[in-house]
């Protein structure tokens, strides 16, 4: 965080909520939380301009939990989300933050699952309902009173809901909730359509926007990689194989993440340590001193714990988890490139965080180029380079000091000089894989998410030619049993994100979430894994489906 925040305890939240948040590993409120929580607690309507990655879910979930009357077993808060995926995520977040508030019940309501149990859960006393608009309207048609006790309404990702065509459903829902409610609207963008909704349905809303002053970043080479959230640690390990760093700081969001990544690095033989808010001051100083004098090479830290850390040896900053705002990003990467040295900053971006990357680029006025994970050949080259470097100073003097020993060993072992050298190498490298086939076996695929298709032989952000023999890009992802891949000509350039496709197929195809496999959105097309069984019927059902205003036109895709 770049601004001073007073911590969660200063926010006037119920101590049970604060305890749950701290137990989750959050150390300080993010900027959007810091600004929104007091406004929502005070009962104002609010428009929050924030995208995924800023901590917006907790920004509304915490104050709403604070307001819930646990003794009343009826819907009190309604959160509307564009997709089933987001609705489930928000519902899970509520449950996490309510862990120490017995009696709070949360229900997620979305299409593609039977309606009966959802309605029963609402009637049985869920105080918090997280719903997609389409399915909620179906419930309203069955029971128009179902939302009559709601006092708090949140529209999450309002711009996405409009893009998915939920405008009419929203109007129906607004009408079904008492006019005395408090309404909070979150949206990454505020086009005229959103402002019109706010004008009609919000009362004197307060505006919250994370003010981003233009920031300047110099002398630091920046790049980003698209990677799925659960692949971050393998991605970091692979990047470290090829990055030539002196000291490195890796930023993550939670205490647990500092521990997990530091443990994974230590297991690979790196001199690494975690730095988080739980670490006592004297231990913190020891870690920083060790990073300064080379007893440690990598520190994995949260933003809070890294405050004031100034170590000139740092050549690399890895943003393993996205910073909350561009200021934090600039602050983080400013740890490198000290004292006129070159610095390099890498940012891992999950598919949902792509917008945050754009905000960072806008605020810093710089493009953060896309990098790719090194392929096995690059990993092998880097290993051999390191080995060569470590041997170079030794070969000059070895002939004189060990020549006789070498002759004697080859004689005693009855082997060739080459065989002896090979044996010594194996011993010296601790059995590390040093041929391509072994490196390939050792480095399982780390599926990355590509926002743009690249053409063969395109230059990477570092000016090298990328290796188009790259097996990770060519090899099709293996399909699960009973699934086939389908293709649509809609892609990122049409403004499509995976969640839009997921939402459309769930809502209009009537499939259960787990029936849909991986969704890969490329620039000019997307691939979606669907069940083979009943595929023709499903494609017929989706014949007229539109996503982001365009025809989906889904077809079976044959790899070869
Ligand atoms: P959101 O923008 O709501 O999708 O949140 C993005 C991620 O940030 C989620 O994984 C949250 O668990 C995490 N997060 C939210 N607030 C905080 C915080 N104050 N400290 C650490 N992590 C947070």
């Amino acid at each position: 965080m770049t601004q001073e925040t007073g911590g969660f305890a200063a926010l006037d939240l119920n101590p049970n909520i604060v305890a749950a948040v701290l137990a989750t590993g959050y150390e300080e409120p993010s900027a959007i939380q810091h600004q929104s929580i007091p406004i929502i607690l005070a009962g104002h309507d609010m428009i929050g301009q924030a995208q995924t990655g800023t901590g917006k879910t907790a920004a509304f979930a915490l104050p709403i939990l604070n307001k819930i009357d646990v003794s009343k077993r009826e819907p009190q808060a309604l959160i509307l989300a564009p997709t089933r995926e987001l609705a489930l995520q928000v519902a899970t977040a509520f449950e996490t933050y309510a862990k120490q508030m017995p009696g709070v019940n949360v229900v997620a309501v979305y299409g593609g699952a039977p309606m009966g149990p959802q309605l029963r859960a609402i009637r049985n006393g869920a105080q918090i309902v997280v719903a997609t608009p389409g399915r909620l309207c179906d419930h309203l048609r069955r029971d128009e009173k179902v939302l009559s006790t709601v006092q708090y309404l949140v529209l999450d990702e309002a711009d996405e809901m409009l893009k998915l065509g939920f405008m009419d459903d929203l109007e129906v829902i607004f009408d079904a909730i008492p006019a005395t409610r408090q309404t909070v609207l979150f949206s990454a963008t505020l086009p005229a359509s959103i402002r019109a909704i706010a004008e009609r349905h919000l009362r004197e809303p307060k505006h919250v926007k994370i003010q981003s002053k233009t920031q300047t970043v110099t002398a630091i080479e920046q790049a980003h990689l698209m990677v799925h959230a659960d692949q971050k640690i393998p991605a970091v390990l692979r990047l470290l194989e090829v990055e030539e760093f002196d000291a490195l700081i890796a930023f993550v969001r939670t205490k647990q993440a500092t521990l997990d990544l530091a443990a994974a690095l230590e297991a690979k033989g790196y001199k690494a340590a975690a730095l988080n808010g739980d670490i006592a001051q004297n231990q913190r100083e020891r870690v920083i001193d060790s990073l300064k004098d080379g007893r440690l090479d990598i520190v994995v830290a949260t933003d809070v714990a890294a405050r004031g850390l100034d170590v000139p040896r740092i050549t690399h900053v890895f943003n393993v988890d996205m910073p909350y705002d561009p200021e934090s990003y600039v602050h983080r990467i400013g740890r490198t490139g000290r004292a006129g040295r070159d610095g390099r900053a890498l940012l891992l971006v999950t598919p949902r965080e792509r917008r945050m990357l754009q905000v960072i680029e806008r605020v810093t006025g710089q493009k953060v180029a896309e990098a790719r994970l090194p392929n096995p050949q690059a990993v092998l080259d880097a290993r051999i380079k390191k080995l060569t470097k470590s041997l170079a100073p030794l070969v000059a003097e070895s002939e004189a000091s060990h020549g006789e020993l070498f002759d004697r060993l080859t004689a005693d072992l009855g082997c060739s000089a080459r065989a002896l050298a090979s044996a010594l190498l194996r011993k010296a490298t601790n059995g590390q894989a040093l041929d391509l086939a072994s490196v390939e076996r050792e480095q399982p695929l780390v599926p990355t998410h590509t926002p743009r298709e690249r053409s063969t032989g395109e230059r990477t952000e570092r000016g090298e030619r990328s290796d188009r023999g790259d097996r990770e890009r060519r090899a099709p992802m293996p399909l699960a049993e009973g699934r086939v891949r389908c293709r649509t000509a809609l892609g990122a350039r049409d403004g499509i994100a995976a969640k839009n496709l997921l939402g459309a197929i769930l809502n209009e195809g009537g499939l259960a979430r787990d029936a849909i496999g991986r969704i890969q959105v490329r620039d000019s097309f997307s691939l979606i894994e669907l069940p083979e069984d009943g595929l023709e019927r499903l494609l017929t059902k989706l014949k007229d489906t539109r996503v982001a205003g365009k025809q989906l036109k889904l077809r079976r895709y044959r790899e070869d």
Side-chain angles (χ1 to χ4, degrees), residues 12 39 50 54 73 75 86 123 137 154 165 182 219 274 278 352 374 394 421 482 543 549:
D12 250 354
I39 293 174
T54 51
R73 300 183 56 81
L86 184 64
R123 289 193 180 133
C137 282
V154 179
Q182 179 182 1
D278 276 353
R352 287 177 53 76
L394 303 178
K543 196 163 55 70

Side-chain angles (χ1 to χ4, degrees), residues 214-226:
T214 306
Q215 305 272 327
T216 39
V217 194
T218 48
I220 299 167
E221 186 186 327
Q222 301 167 61
H224 79 268
L225 281 101
M226 300 299 298

